[in-house]
Amino acid sequence: MSRTPTTKAAKAVKKRRRHKSAKDGDAAQDPRAARAAGRGESAAPAERPEPAVAGAPRGGQALPEAPAQDAAVEAVRIAEAAQAAFDTLYTRNAPALLRQVELLTGSMPLARHAVHRAFDLAWQRWPEVAVDPDPAGWIRAEAHHHALAPWQQLLPWFRTPPRERSPFQRLPRGTRHAVLLHDGLGLSLRRTAAESLATTSMTRRRIVRGREVLGEAAAVRLGDLLDEQPQPEFPAAMVRELSEQWLRIRTVGAVGATLLIALVTAVGLVFGPLSDRVAADRHPVGQRTSAPAP
């Protein structure tokens, strides 16, 4: 039985429908292909965005690193805290320390010099002084020992005439230092011995000897005298600034001295052998000098 044209047409329609159904299913699985097919464009794979690098902004511009900024801010904070701590220490202790050194030496110029030097040294060594259990005691010991050095009395502008010295200032240096620390400031015997660089037995003998000379009421009189506290010559900020300036000057001087010594040494190494060769050429070995005529 032969196939009719109607049957062939029906089969062709069914084939076209199956082909179209297959294409619609592919488009449903891939939305990009469906959108491209609807616009009459070919489907192309979408470009994936490049992974962003941590700390790098868009557009290729580099921002300053956060750790460097944090380190700079922390350094500024530490410097300001150190300055505030030093200023507080200076304001609280400089007047009393001036009076102590004046009582020890009888000279206000020497007292100002010794106290200024002690705080100058403290600012240069501030990391060491800041962690000390007693920063005020550290500065007091420096000022007292510098003021009581024997060579200080050799300077005419620091020298106190004997007739102007009080009975306390006529005592030996070690005795008046021990009496001031123990009876005047109320330090313990062991602390007094450590700060005056003496043994406990020697410190006890000095205190007893001082009380015998001054009388039993020496502690009360010293306390009254220590209550009168003069004001320091410079404010704390100026003391820090002067300390930093002198430190720079001393550093430059030390570098200059080192370079000068190195230059002199190099000149000696270069011209020393040359002078030896010249002397050898003038007086060869074995050459006899003519004896003077009789």
Side-chain angles (χ1 to χ4, degrees):
M1 188 174 180
S2 60
R3 297 181 178 179
T4 60
T6 305
T7 305
K8 291 180 179 180
K11 288 182 178 181
V13 171
K14 289 181 179 180
K15 186 176 181 180
R16 286 195 299 269
R17 287 179 178 176
R18 286 196 299 268
H19 183 67
K20 185 178 181 181
S21 300
K23 291 177 64 178
D24 294 341
D26 294 339
Q29 293 178 0
D30 190 358
R32 291 177 298 174
R35 290 193 297 269
R39 293 192 301 267
E41 301 173 356
S42 60
E47 297 182 357
R48 295 183 178 179
E50 295 182 359
V53 180
R58 297 179 180 178
Q61 297 179 357
L63 291 177
E65 299 181 358
Q69 291 181 345
D70 295 342
V73 172
E74 183 67 16
V76 172
R77 187 190 65 81
I78 293 175
E80 291 178 350
Q83 293 175 1
F86 177 85
D87 293 353
T88 302
L89 184 67
Y90 180 84
T91 304
R92 291 180 178 176
N93 297 277
L97 197 54
L98 277 172
R99 187 55 173 162
Q100 295 169 23
V101 179
E102 184 187 14
L103 287 176
L104 284 174
T105 61
S107 172
M108 178 54 72
L110 178 55
R112 294 191 182 278
H113 169 71
V115 172
H116 180 80
R117 180 188 175 278
F119 279 99
D120 175 22
L121 191 62
W123 180 241
Q124 294 179 23
R125 302 180 182 178
W126 185 250
E128 173 189 348
V129 178
V131 299
D132 192 88
D134 185 13
W138 191 97
I139 297 176
R140 180 178 63 238
E142 289 291 336
H144 286 187
H145 289 297
H146 182 73
L148 291 174
W151 56 269
Q152 293 289 359
Q153 292 299 324
L154 300 178
L155 302 176
W157 51 87
F158 289 157
R159 187 182 305 164
T160 304
R163 62 179 179 274
E164 297 181 5
R165 297 176 185 175
S166 64
F168 175 73
Q169 293 162 0
R170 294 191 184 99
L171 294 173
R173 290 192 304 271
T175 301
R176 63 177 180 266
H177 193 199
V179 172
L180 177 69
L181 293 176
H182 187 269
D183 292 346
L185 302 182
L187 300 184
S188 64
L189 181 62
R190 182 174 299 179
R191 181 69 180 275
T192 301
E195 196 160 322
S196 59
L197 304 179
T199 62
T200 306
S201 58
M202 181 180 295
T203 303
R204 184 183 294 106
R205 289 195 299 269
R206 287 175 174 176
I207 295 173
V208 172
R209 189 181 307 116
R211 289 174 178 174
E212 291 176 352
V213 174
L214 300 176
E216 293 297 330
V220 177
R221 290 196 298 272
L222 279 176
D224 295 339
L225 293 175
L226 290 173
D227 290 339
E228 304 173 3
Q229 299 178 359
Q231 292 300 318
E233 186 177 5
F234 303 112
M238 186 175 293
V239 172
R240 288 189 283 103
E241 183 178 356
L242 292 175
S243 177
E244 294 170 0
Q245 290 178 0
W246 277 109
L247 180 61
R248 287 192 293 267
I249 293 173
R250 285 191 291 266
T251 302
V252 172
V255 173
T258 303
L259 293 178
L260 181 61
I261 293 173
L263 179 61
V264 172
T265 304
V267 171
L269 292 176
V270 171
F271 290 98
L274 180 60
S275 62
D276 294 340
R277 288 196 299 269
V278 172
D281 293 339
R282 290 180 177 177
H283 304 285
V285 178
Q287 181 179 5
R288 296 179 180 179
T289 58
S290 59

